Amino acid sequence: MAELYGQRVQTTVQTKYLPFVVDTILNSNVLFQRVVRGSKKWSGRTLRVPVKVSKNTTGTSFSGFDTFSVAATANRQFMEFTPSFYQITCALPGDECSVADTDEKILDLMKVTIQSDTEDMADDLGTIFYADGTGNSSKDPLGLAALVDDGTNVANIGGLSRSTYTTLKSTVTASSGTLTLAKVDTLWIAVTSGAQKPTAIYTTEAVFNYYGQLLRPQERITKDVGTIKGLSGGTGFTALYYNGKPILMDEKATAEAFIMVNEDYVDFYALPYKFAKPVAYKSQIEGNDYEAPIGLGFSWSDWIIPANSGSVVGHVYFGGQFITTNPKRHGKLTGITGI
């Protein structure tokens, strides 16, 4: 960058650094933030979810001395989930830390490094939360591709076969290229029973715009929505609405998909890492939708001084599992490329 002034100015006027970092890399991460900010605490070796998978069929009308069935009905199974862990490394050379800790420092180098790296990890996890959990030899946490599936791509959920227990199937409909309100209506009806209905719809920017084009101008009402299940505070996300439920565009969302989720049946159970402490800081980074990562899942190892290096190293950990307790209440349209 060329100097704008000569030596007369350069030798008499200091350079001013603003006390924050502007992020020009990270983009939206809507699903991850909504889910993680509503984390529940993990407990136990595994998480078991009892599910009813069939009806008791012994009911019958009768008269007089008719005999009744005395057969017991086994109509419950359990889905079982285990936790997954993810980490990102923070590292700094000791000489840079020494120079950065003088009276002239503008930002705390060590703190802003943790902040930046934690947000990068959250960005990675945002991508994973739309995947199927098979990444890195199935060490990744589960994502919507596993939770919202009819068995075509993810045969089992919580250790149970979707082909055996068909009520664990979500509704997945190939949209054959086009998005129409009729297809959206059909999907909605398929995953709705009485008061049980989707609470949010996730999609890409492109499909969000396709949906907007289907609406009459007076219907194109956008609102800001909160983070999850009525929780207040945090970043709001702009949404269009369908049947009173927000349609949220997320740059992490699965390409060409329109995903209806009943958030009453999805949760992140967080498990803090044993040898670390909770992440807690006020972020000095601006220009993205990430606030300081909060929730039970984030842990910080603290800085570690290696025995053979003049440096410091630390690890941010994230633990737990993204689960669904009722897959049939979710659904998606796939293959949307226009209207």
Side-chain angles (χ1 to χ4, degrees):
M1 182 176 180
E3 295 287 355
L4 296 179
Y5 303 102
Q7 294 299 321
R8 288 187 298 276
V9 174
Q10 293 185 40
T11 57
T12 56
V13 181
Q14 292 188 33
T15 298
K16 172 67 174 180
Y17 281 86
L18 299 178
F20 53 83
V21 175
V22 178
D23 180 8
T24 65
I25 296 294
L26 304 182
N27 296 314
S28 67
N29 197 1
V30 178
L31 172 68
F32 179 78
Q33 292 194 71
R34 282 171 66 87
V35 170
V36 171
R37 290 176 189 274
S39 295
K40 297 180 179 179
K41 187 176 180 179
W42 184 282
S43 182
R45 178 175 59 87
T46 62
L47 189 66
R48 287 185 171 181
V49 181
V51 291
K52 185 175 179 179
V53 294
S54 63
K55 287 180 60 176
N56 182 331
T57 58
T58 61
T60 181
S61 57
F62 72 96
S63 65
F65 290 96
D66 289 354
T67 58
F68 308 145
S69 169
V70 293
T73 301
N75 57 8
R76 290 185 299 278
Q77 294 289 332
F78 60 83
M79 292 190 289
E80 185 171 35
F81 299 92
T82 57
S84 297
F85 289 93
Y86 196 90
Q87 75 85 39
I88 198 165
T89 300
C90 307
L92 288 168
D95 53 352
E96 289 186 12
C97 294
S98 298
V99 173
D101 195 28
T102 65
D103 293 338
E104 296 299 319
K105 72 179 180 182
I106 305 300
L107 293 166
D108 188 310
L109 174 63
M110 299 176 79
K111 287 183 179 180
V112 80
T113 296
I114 300 171
Q115 294 161 13
S116 178
D117 292 343
T118 304
E119 291 183 3
D120 290 346
M121 182 176 73
D123 190 70
D124 294 342
L125 288 164
T127 300
I128 290 172
F129 268 38
Y130 278 99
D132 61 7
T134 60
N136 193 22
S137 301
S138 296
K139 297 174 188 176
D140 282 355
L142 296 175
L144 283 191
L147 307 189
V148 186
D149 192 73
D150 61 0
T152 300
N153 297 304
V154 181
N156 301 326
I157 184 69
L160 296 181
S161 167
R162 282 176 155 133
S163 62
T164 301
Y165 303 104
T166 57
T167 58
L168 302 182
K169 292 183 177 182
S170 306
T171 300
V172 180
T173 304
S175 192
S176 301
T178 59
L179 177 69
T180 67
L181 291 178
K183 292 175 182 177
V184 176
D185 290 342
T186 299
L187 180 64
W188 177 271
I189 291 170
V191 298
T192 297
S193 296
Q196 304 297 320
K197 61 189 66 175
T199 58
I201 301 167
Y202 294 92
T203 192
T204 63
E205 292 173 309
V207 177
F208 182 92
N209 288 332
Y210 296 148
Y211 178 80
Q213 293 171 40
L214 294 174
L215 305 180
R216 293 188 295 270
Q218 62 268 31
E219 295 175 320
R220 294 176 188 169
I221 300 172
T222 61
K223 298 179 181 179
D224 289 338
V225 296
T227 51
I228 189 170
K229 300 179 185 176
L231 295 183
S232 60
T235 302
F237 306 106
T238 300
L240 289 168
Y241 276 71
Y242 172 80
N243 281 352
K245 305 304 179 184
I247 301 173
L248 300 166
M249 56 179 169
D250 188 347
E251 288 163 287
K252 298 291 186 184
T254 304
E256 303 179 356
F258 191 82
I259 309 170
M260 292 185 180
V261 178
N262 188 327
E263 292 172 312
D264 292 332
Y265 301 113
V266 293
D267 285 294
F268 184 79
Y269 279 84
L271 180 59
Y273 196 66
K274 173 65 176 176
F275 304 106
K277 57 188 179 183
V279 169
Y281 61 75
K282 180 175 175 58
S283 182
Q284 302 172 83
I285 300 174
E286 301 181 0
N288 61 36
D289 282 344
Y290 293 80
E291 294 182 347
I294 60 175
L296 300 173
F298 288 97
S299 304
W300 166 239
S301 69
D302 217 337
W303 291 108
I304 302 164
I305 302 175
N308 61 346
S309 173
S311 62
V312 288
V313 178
H315 302 276
V316 181
Y317 299 103
F318 184 78
Q321 193 56 270
F322 188 25
I323 74 165
T324 181
T325 55
N326 198 349
K328 70 176 289 185
R329 298 304 178 193
H330 319 309
K332 61 185 174 183
L333 297 174
T334 63
I336 301 169
T337 57
I339 56 175

